[in-house]
Amino acid sequence: MTSNAQSLARLMAWLSPVFPTGGFAYSAGLESAAHDSHVIDEASLGRWLSHSITRGGVWNETVLLAAAHKRSATLSDLTALALAIAPTMERYHETCGQGAAFIDAASAWGEADIARETPLPVAVGALAAHHGLAESDTLIAFAQTTVSNQCQAAIRLSLIGQAGAARLMAKLEPTIVATSKQATGSTLDDLGGCAFMADILSARHETLEPRIFLS
């Protein structure tokens, strides 16, 4: 088990912009939402993110991360499940690409027997457990970073500025913490959501031209 200080430093490194899993390449459908004027400003972005955290992709990813950390199922089974519930082709490639990139970058802390084909939340949960990082801390850090990446994407899309991103991160902090806490007691039966517009817009993004992001 790593010390608390080491755990904090490692989580901050793994989920920082230094890692190749940040908001520079993927928007998880946010670009399409901006293009179609579903998200136009700080208020609408806040609603978009809140729904994703509690009822959409972020919720499902925290459930998968928790299951991988607990090893409540084999990693191969969790991988198959995570890929099966990817709502669109782009989200499928997003979680696969980010998972492989995360595993490669995390190998700087030592190799682990985790396939490069492992989707991102499963990879983060499995590697966190392998390194002795607490499940609750990992869940909060993962969810917070996911939201931060979305805010970075929103800045690039000129939906908000840095001050607006900071306000949203502060406003969404209790939701991030509460959802992460809920995920610690979740099972795979808790997977699911109702972020239908996000899924539809993700599918539309596959034919959006021009575009900045891969999803």
Side-chain angles (χ1 to χ4, degrees):
M1 177 71 72
T2 57
S3 70
N4 288 337
Q6 283 179 301
S7 296
L8 177 60
R10 196 162 302 178
L11 278 173
M12 289 179 69
W14 283 5
L15 298 169
S16 74
V18 171
F19 259 53
T21 52
F24 58 90
Y26 301 99
S27 79
L30 179 59
E31 182 172 18
S32 190
H35 179 271
D36 289 358
S37 298
H38 292 282
V39 177
I40 59 173
D41 55 15
E42 184 178 329
S44 55
L45 177 62
R47 292 190 294 271
W48 172 275
L49 293 174
S50 179
H51 201 74
S52 178
I53 296 165
T54 58
R55 299 179 181 86
V58 178
W59 166 248
N60 282 332
E61 288 177 347
T62 58
V63 172
L64 288 165
L65 191 157
H69 196 284
K70 296 184 181 78
R71 291 294 179 103
S72 57
T74 65
L75 292 186
S76 60
D77 284 346
L78 289 173
T79 291
L81 180 58
L83 297 181
I85 65 173
T88 64
M89 179 186 68
E90 287 189 347
R91 294 308 306 276
Y92 178 99
H93 290 304
E94 178 178 337
T95 194
C96 289
Q98 288 191 316
F102 181 85
I103 291 166
D104 288 344
S107 66
W109 282 262
E111 298 289 340
D113 186 21
I114 300 175
R116 288 187 77 254
E117 297 76 18
T118 305
L120 180 62
V122 179
V124 174
L127 278 170
H130 176 78
H131 286 268
L133 307 183
E135 178 191 358
S136 58
D137 292 343
T138 305
L139 282 164
I140 291 173
F142 178 85
Q144 194 271 350
T145 297
T146 301
V147 175
S148 176
N149 287 342
Q150 286 273 280
C151 285
Q152 290 179 60
I155 292 172
R156 289 186 64 190
L157 292 166
S158 300
L159 295 171
I160 55 171
Q162 289 181 314
R167 285 191 295 269
L168 278 179
M169 293 301 300
K171 182 178 181 179
L172 290 169
E173 186 176 283
T175 304
I176 291 169
V177 172
T179 299
S180 301
K181 183 177 181 180
Q182 185 179 357
T184 61
S186 68
T187 70
L188 294 176
D189 289 337
D190 294 307
L191 286 169
C194 57
F196 304 120
M197 185 54 70
D199 295 343
I200 291 169
L201 290 170
S202 175
R204 288 182 182 173
H205 189 268
E206 295 171 4
T207 58
L208 180 66
E209 294 293 347
R211 57 184 174 176
I212 302 173
F213 296 97
L214 295 175
S215 70

